[in-house]
Amino acid sequence: MKTIFDNAISEELVTRINQINADSKPFWGKMNAYQMVKHCRLWEDMITGELPTKRVFIGRIFGRMGLKAVTKDDTPLAHSTPTAPELFIKETSGNIDEEKAKWIALIREHKNFSNSNFVHPFFGPMTKEQIGIMAYKHIDHHLRQFGA
């Protein structure tokens, strides 16, 4: 299983992130490149504890089952997977290079990851191993969305 906590995997993702620019077009979904990059940067803030999110009710019922299904193998996340309201990006433009730099810095900081109390808005409490797998899958999902 690929994980964000593997330095070689992280650097592979950084290389792919650097392929994204303001003109990159999505193969699916509603976000433009800037929105996707900012969304992913905020997702990193969420797992480090810098961006608090609320647990969704449906996640309390189905979250554990969903987590097991998503982390059991290397199957990529499905298109149009729901997201936490705190991670919706309304603005359609901004400095994509600045957001990419912040995102990359957060990815590289995973070697010092220490948020053992992380609770995903849908999946609930997660182990470090589950966080690593989900972080990789989330980033891979959005990079594939934009052909990177």
Side-chain angles (χ1 to χ4, degrees):
M1 297 286 288
K2 292 185 177 181
T3 175
I4 195 73
F5 299 125
D6 178 316
N7 288 334
I9 298 295
S10 293
E11 288 307 312
E12 169 201 313
L13 292 172
V14 167
T15 299
R16 292 170 63 194
I17 290 167
N18 283 320
Q19 295 174 11
I20 302 293
N21 62 57
D23 296 325
S24 298
K25 302 289 183 225
F27 293 125
W28 72 84
K30 298 176 184 172
M31 289 190 283
N32 66 28
Y34 171 78
Q35 290 170 314
M36 180 276 287
V37 169
K38 186 166 183 178
H39 162 82
C40 288
R41 196 261 303 160
L42 289 176
W43 201 94
E44 298 296 325
D45 284 343
M46 177 186 73
I47 66 169
T48 62
E50 293 296 314
L51 176 66
T53 55
K54 293 181 182 171
R55 187 88 194 270
V56 295
F57 177 73
I58 194 85
R60 293 181 187 276
I61 298 168
F62 298 109
R64 300 308 298 165
M65 278 190 317
L67 181 60
K68 282 183 182 182
V70 169
T71 59
K72 72 179 180 188
D73 59 30
D74 283 327
T75 303
L77 296 178
H79 295 187
S80 302
T81 302
T83 192
E86 296 89 347
L87 302 178
F88 282 118
I89 308 303
K90 293 179 182 161
E91 66 267 20
T92 58
S93 64
N95 188 331
I96 192 169
D97 292 327
E98 186 178 299
E99 287 297 330
K100 280 173 39 177
K102 290 177 186 176
W103 184 18
I104 289 168
L106 287 165
I107 289 171
R108 289 184 169 148
E109 274 301 305
H110 283 309
K111 63 182 173 267
N112 302 318
F113 185 82
S114 63
N115 187 8
S116 60
N117 297 319
F118 174 65
V119 178
H120 188 276
F122 180 78
F123 298 125
M126 295 172 67
T127 66
K128 182 177 178 179
E129 179 183 20
Q130 291 167 328
I131 293 167
I133 293 167
M134 265 311 296
Y136 170 79
K137 284 190 171 203
H138 181 257
I139 295 168
D140 176 66
H141 169 79
H142 286 295
L143 292 175
R144 283 184 308 101
Q145 178 184 16
F146 282 83

